[in-house]
């Protein structure tokens, strides 16, 4: 018998027919014969088919086939082959890909885009080519995410001529949606929203280090999306204000030994009008109530909160019994039609994917288009800033444009002001490689602490209804949990592929009829609470320059991330509170799921590497985001955050960028 027949027989035992198609015809054959990503698996599967052929596997009764596969799993020489077989089966049967909807998704009722939805593909924004770039601008802004996009908006509205530079090539929403193998958040292969090969980093792990490149999975390289709009192009949009205490962490708590907590050089009162502007310009749907009692505000949200769902109803009732305040999460998503774009259709794959109806708000469809509409902002895509020079009369930025075309063009652009907003890893890397900054630049890298507590509820409450997280309590921020605690939210829906590859509860059969039945029935009852908490920064956690070089010959980033024991105290406190909430709503088998949200040192909320402060001995930038030791170079992203609160930071990035923009205009260099 041929190897194909042996492999098909094995696939069809991993995913047997049971009223729904078996694995081979249900999508695995197509995956095996068309995927360009399976070079790692082919030698293992080839070795496995030889073993099976020697056993006459395809001619055996199914119970004997199952017995043999179980035995091979326990054989050290064959275990890796069986692991490869399982993974390929899950990818083929349970992962959506462009134009493909395998049998596993049909079995589960997973519709990447709800039936009847009129998909909206926004028109591309107007851009300039390398040949059209002027030799000089009032300002060059590097990065189009919430920080850079906002700076372009502020400066162009004030009459300044701005060049907005984005390293990503043009990509449609369709290219960024519905691929469960390459989506940035859940990629198991080269992510569509990553920089691609030629952008190596060195990740330090204690005394060891690993080189990772931009075409490797996001869990290794880092979760920050590199797109027009940055992470806001594919986020879920949680848009929180920081608490007043988040701006005074050192004053409020002191500094645990070895840590580098610091106060912001601005407080909540000064930030409040900028938060209001950010919520308005971004378009946030929310509700004034229990979640806003400790963040005073002058006005409500521009849109009503997203409608309720079973998960919110369940946890809200539990919070009421516990005496906790709760509310709908503020989201930068249209809950009603707004700005000429429709309301959310509640698709089940919001996080990590572009919106099918353009209802998700980010810098790409708010502040950047408004900057372009002034006629004073040029948008250059597919261009990397490789060097920044500060000078008494002018700053300059060296760029390489058009790399994706295979014909890169080198440019040098002068400006009165350069604003770098490339994220907490790439911002210090660019500035350090340019010979700028002091010893504080790159230090104090921190993110958030993440905790997941899972259980099972009946009836199911979170089965493929978007956009994701829905309800939160902020009662555990700066109350009861050490070092500022954290916010607790309902766990978003988990994609089928993730569930199949790594079931989040114990006792799930590894494959076969039992696994398939659990995917269809037991999976639906899995539910959880997710905690986002303060991470205490350390001066040893930092971004430095590595020996490895990128495709332009620049040094890559060397990233080290250490964990202070105080951060683990935050985790434990959140886990205890989350478990209490789950028990209160009647969940069974409640347990914390251990393991970091990402295996990379560069998480999606990374911050602090160009922290603001008055004193250059303890900060990298001033309160206006200007890099210490320079006249014309500023930073405007989460790198500025001395501490990062205990909620998603994007709204604060945008609010602070509005503030920094005002300061730059006020003190414009002559």
């Amino acid at each position: 018998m041929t190897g194909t027949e042996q492999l098909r027989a094995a696939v069809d035992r991993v995913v047997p027919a049971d009223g729904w198609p078996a694995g081979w015809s249900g999508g695995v054959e197509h995956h095996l014969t068309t995927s360009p990503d399976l070079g790692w698996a082919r030698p293992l599967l080839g070795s496995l088919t030889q073993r099976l052929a020697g056993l006459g596997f395809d001619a055996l009764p199914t119970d004997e086939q199952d017995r043999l596969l179980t035995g091979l799993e326990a054989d050290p020489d064959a275990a890796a082959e069986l692991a490869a077989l399982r993974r390929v089966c899950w990818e083929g049967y349970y992962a959506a890909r462009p134009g493909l909807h395998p049998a596993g998704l049909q079995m589960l009722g997973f519709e990447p885009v709800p039936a009847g939805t009129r998909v909206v593909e926004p028109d591309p924004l107007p851009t300039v080519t390398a040949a059209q770039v002027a030799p000089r601008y009032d300002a060059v802004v590097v990065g189009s995410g919430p920080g850079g996009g906002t700076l372009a908006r502020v400066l162009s509205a004030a009459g300044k001529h701005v060049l907005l530079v984005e390293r990503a090539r043009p990509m449609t929403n369709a290219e960024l949606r519905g691929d469960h193998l390459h989506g940035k958040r859940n990629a198991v292969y080269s992510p569509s929203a990553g920089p691609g090969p030629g952008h190596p980093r060195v990740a330090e792990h204690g005394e060891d280090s690993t080189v990772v490149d931009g075409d490797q999975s996001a869990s290794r390289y880092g979760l920050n999306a590199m797109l027009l709009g940055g992470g806001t192009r594919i986020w879920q949009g949680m848009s929180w204000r920081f608490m007043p205490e988040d701006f005074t962490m050192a004053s409020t708590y002191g500094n645990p030994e070895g840590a580098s907590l610091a106060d912001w050089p601005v407080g909540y009162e000064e930030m409040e009008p900028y938060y209001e502007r950010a919520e308005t310009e971004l378009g946030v749907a929310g509700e004034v109530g229990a979640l806003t009692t400790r963040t005073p505000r002058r006005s409500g949200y521009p849109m009503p909160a997203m409608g309720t769902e079973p998960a919110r109803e369940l946890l809200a009732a539990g919070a009421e019994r516990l005496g906790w305040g709760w509310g709908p999460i503020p989201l930068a998503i249209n809950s009603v039609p707004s700005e000429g774009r429709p309301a959310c259709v509640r698709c089940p794959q919001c996080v990590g994917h572009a919106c099918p109806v353009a209802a998700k708000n980010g810098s790409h469809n708010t502040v950047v288009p408004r900057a372009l509409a002034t006629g004073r902002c040029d948008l250059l895509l597919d261009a990397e800033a490789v060097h920044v020079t500060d000078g008494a009369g002018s700053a300059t930025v060296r760029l390489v444009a058009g790399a994706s075309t295979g014909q890169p063009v080198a440019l040098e652009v002068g400006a009165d002001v350069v604003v770098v907003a490339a994220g907490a890893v790439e911002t210090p890397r660019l500035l350090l490689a340019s010979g700028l900054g002091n010893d504080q630049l790159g230090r104090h890298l921190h993110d958030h602490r993440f905790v997941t507590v899972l259980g099972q509820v009946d009836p199911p409450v979170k089965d493929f209804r978007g956009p994701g997280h829905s309800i939160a309590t902020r009662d555990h921020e700066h109350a009861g949990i050490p070092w500022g605690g954290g916010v607790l939210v309902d766990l978003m829906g988990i994609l089928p592929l993730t569930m199949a590859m790594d079931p989040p509860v114990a006792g799930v059969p590894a494959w076969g009829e039992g696994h398939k039945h659990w995917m269809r029935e037991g999976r639906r009852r899995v539910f959880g609470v997710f905690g986002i908490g303060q991470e205490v920064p350390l001066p040893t956690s930092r971004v430095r320059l590595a020996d490895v070089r990128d495709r332009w010959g620049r040094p890559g980033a060397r990233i080290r991330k250490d964990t202070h024991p105080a951060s683990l105290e935050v985790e434990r406190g959140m886990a205890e509170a989350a478990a209490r909430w789950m028990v209160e709503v009647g969940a069974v088998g409640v347990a914390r799921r251990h393991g970091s949200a990402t295996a990379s040192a560069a998480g999606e909320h990374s911050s602090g590497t160009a922290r603001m402060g008055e004193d250059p001995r303890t900060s990298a930038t001033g309160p206006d985001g200007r890099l210490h030791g320079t006249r014309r170079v500023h930073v405007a992203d989460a790198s500025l955050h001395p501490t990062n609160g205990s909620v998603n930071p994007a709204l604060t990035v945008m609010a602070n960028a509005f503030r920094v923009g005002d300061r730059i205009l006020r003190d414009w260099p002559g």
Side-chain angles (χ1 to χ4, degrees):
M1 298 297 177
T2 68
T4 298
E5 291 171 318
Q6 301 296 337
L7 186 58
R8 174 174 183 163
V11 165
D12 286 350
R13 294 318 302 154
V14 174
V15 187
D18 61 353
W20 288 92
W24 189 261
S25 62
V28 179
E29 179 191 19
H30 187 277
H31 184 45
L32 284 168
T33 55
T34 64
S35 173
D37 300 312
L38 297 181
W40 65 273
R42 298 194 192 285
L44 293 165
L45 296 179
S47 176
L48 176 62
T49 56
Q50 290 180 17
R51 290 182 190 274
L52 299 179
L55 298 169
F57 183 85
D58 69 310
L60 297 173
T62 55
D63 58 346
E64 182 63 13
Q65 290 178 336
D66 290 350
R67 188 187 67 78
L68 282 172
L69 290 179
T70 301
L72 290 175
E73 281 190 307
D75 181 347
D77 293 332
E81 299 166 3
L82 268 294
L85 175 67
R86 290 195 305 271
R87 176 174 160 181
V88 168
C89 286
W90 307 149
E91 291 174 1
Y93 202 74
Y94 291 113
R97 285 96 78 203
L100 296 175
H101 195 63
L105 298 188
Q106 299 174 45
M107 177 182 77
L108 301 181
F110 183 94
E111 291 287 343
V113 178
T117 297
R118 179 179 174 272
V119 175
V120 175
E121 185 62 58
D123 293 332
L125 295 179
T127 60
V128 295
T129 65
Q132 294 170 318
V133 171
R136 184 175 178 84
Y137 290 80
D138 295 320
V140 174
V141 179
V142 178
S144 65
T150 297
L151 254 294
R153 160 74 165 147
V154 172
L155 300 182
S156 60
K160 303 298 184 182
H161 192 197
V162 179
L163 176 66
L164 179 58
V165 179
E166 171 54 54
R167 72 190 299 178
R169 65 177 178 83
M171 296 188 74
T172 65
N173 278 6
E175 292 176 275
L176 295 167
R177 181 178 64 248
D179 188 337
H180 296 179
L181 297 179
H182 300 92
K184 181 66 174 179
R185 183 64 176 264
N186 49 272
V188 292
Y189 298 111
S190 179
S192 55
H199 298 86
R201 291 174 171 175
V202 176
E204 292 188 9
H205 314 280
E207 300 300 318
D208 299 324
S209 62
T210 304
V211 178
V212 294
D213 207 346
D215 60 348
Q216 294 177 275
S217 74
S219 64
R220 298 191 66 200
Y221 189 80
L223 280 170
N224 289 117
M226 297 177 185
L227 299 165
L228 173 61
T232 63
R233 183 80 176 274
I234 57 174
W235 66 336
Q236 188 216 341
M238 288 200 282
S239 298
W240 312 90
R241 296 184 178 197
F242 282 7
M243 294 280 191
E245 298 94 327
D246 293 331
F247 299 95
T248 60
M249 288 292 290
S251 296
T252 301
Y253 295 103
N255 234 326
E257 183 177 357
S260 54
L261 283 176
D263 291 349
W264 287 52
V266 298
Y268 181 84
E269 185 175 346
E270 182 177 347
M271 288 287 291
E272 198 283 330
Y274 294 108
Y275 271 128
E276 181 179 25
R277 183 175 181 185
E279 289 166 348
T280 300
E281 293 241 9
L282 181 60
V284 178
E287 177 180 289
V288 174
L291 298 187
T292 64
T293 55
R294 290 190 285 153
T295 51
R297 52 190 304 127
R298 299 178 301 177
S299 63
Y301 287 99
M303 285 184 284
M306 196 69 64
T308 192
E309 58 171 274
R312 187 188 300 176
E313 299 299 319
L314 179 71
L315 285 176
E320 295 281 357
R321 292 191 295 271
L322 290 167
W324 296 353
W326 64 273
I329 294 171
L331 299 172
I333 298 176
N334 289 353
S335 59
V336 295
S338 179
E339 299 289 327
R341 292 181 284 109
C344 173
V345 295
R346 309 197 77 152
C347 79
Q349 56 179 18
C350 183
V351 181
H353 296 261
C355 181
V357 297
K360 182 157 51 178
N361 304 325
S363 62
H364 63 290
N365 59 7
T366 59
V367 288
V368 170
R370 291 170 195 147
L372 299 177
T374 66
R376 293 183 291 273
C377 180
D378 291 343
L379 173 61
L380 178 65
L381 298 179
D382 192 18
E384 290 186 55
V386 297
H387 196 270
V388 176
T389 302
D390 180 61
S394 177
T396 59
V397 181
R398 290 209 304 265
L399 304 168
V400 180
S404 71
T405 67
Q407 297 179 316
V409 177
L411 302 172
E412 185 164 295
V413 182
D416 290 341
V417 168
V418 173
V419 181
V420 181
V425 173
E426 294 300 314
T427 286
R429 180 176 86 106
L430 171 60
L431 295 173
L432 289 169
S434 301
L436 300 175
N438 60 17
D439 180 64
Q440 294 297 304
L441 181 63
R443 291 190 183 273
H444 317 293
L445 173 67
H446 64 291
D447 193 296
H448 283 126
R449 305 310 297 182
F450 300 103
V451 165
T452 300
V453 173
L454 293 169
Q456 298 179 66
V457 297
D458 200 9
V461 295
K462 201 76 173 182
D463 201 22
F464 305 143
R465 178 173 174 80
H469 306 290
S470 175
I471 179 177
T473 177
R474 302 195 73 174
D475 283 22
H476 304 283
E477 294 177 65
H478 304 288
I481 298 175
W483 310 108
V487 66
L488 300 179
V489 304
D490 60 322
L491 187 66
M492 65 184 180
I494 303 175
L495 292 179
L497 175 62
T498 304
M499 282 285 202
M501 293 179 69
D502 187 19
V505 295
V508 179
W511 51 273
E513 294 177 0
H515 183 279
K516 193 175 183 183
H517 178 77
W518 181 84
M519 285 293 295
R520 193 166 52 243
E521 301 297 336
R523 172 202 53 79
R524 301 173 63 239
R525 293 190 288 275
V526 175
F527 183 56
V529 169
F530 184 65
I532 307 171
Q534 300 271 357
E535 182 163 70
V536 175
L538 287 156
T540 56
S541 294
R542 63 189 301 193
V543 176
R544 294 177 290 169
L545 298 180
D547 293 334
V548 297
R549 299 278 168 166
D550 70 6
R551 58 183 174 173
W552 313 125
R554 298 181 304 160
R558 186 176 188 92
I559 307 170
R560 181 179 185 87
K561 182 80 176 300
D562 297 321
T563 300
H564 196 281
S567 296
L568 301 180
E569 292 183 54
V570 175
E571 285 189 21
R572 287 191 291 270
M574 290 193 300
E576 290 168 3
R580 187 178 175 196
W581 204 1
M582 287 288 287
V583 169
E584 182 62 37
V585 301
V588 298
V590 175
R592 177 180 173 184
R593 184 170 173 83
H594 288 275
S596 173
T598 172
S600 169
E604 60 186 327
H605 299 169
S606 292
S607 65
T609 50
R611 61 160 52 175
M612 296 184 295
E614 300 284 357
D615 189 345
R617 293 173 299 179
T618 57
S619 61
T621 59
D624 58 355
R626 184 167 58 86
L627 191 67
H628 290 317
T630 70
R631 177 177 174 81
R632 301 174 182 275
V633 180
H634 293 253
V635 174
D637 56 25
S639 304
L640 294 177
H641 295 188
T643 54
N644 209 28
S646 59
V647 291
N648 305 62
L651 186 74
T652 300
V653 171
M654 182 173 277
N656 194 45
F658 277 121
R659 186 191 65 82
V660 166
D662 281 355
R663 292 287 296 270
I664 292 173
L665 289 169
R666 188 192 72 183
D667 301 324
W668 194 265

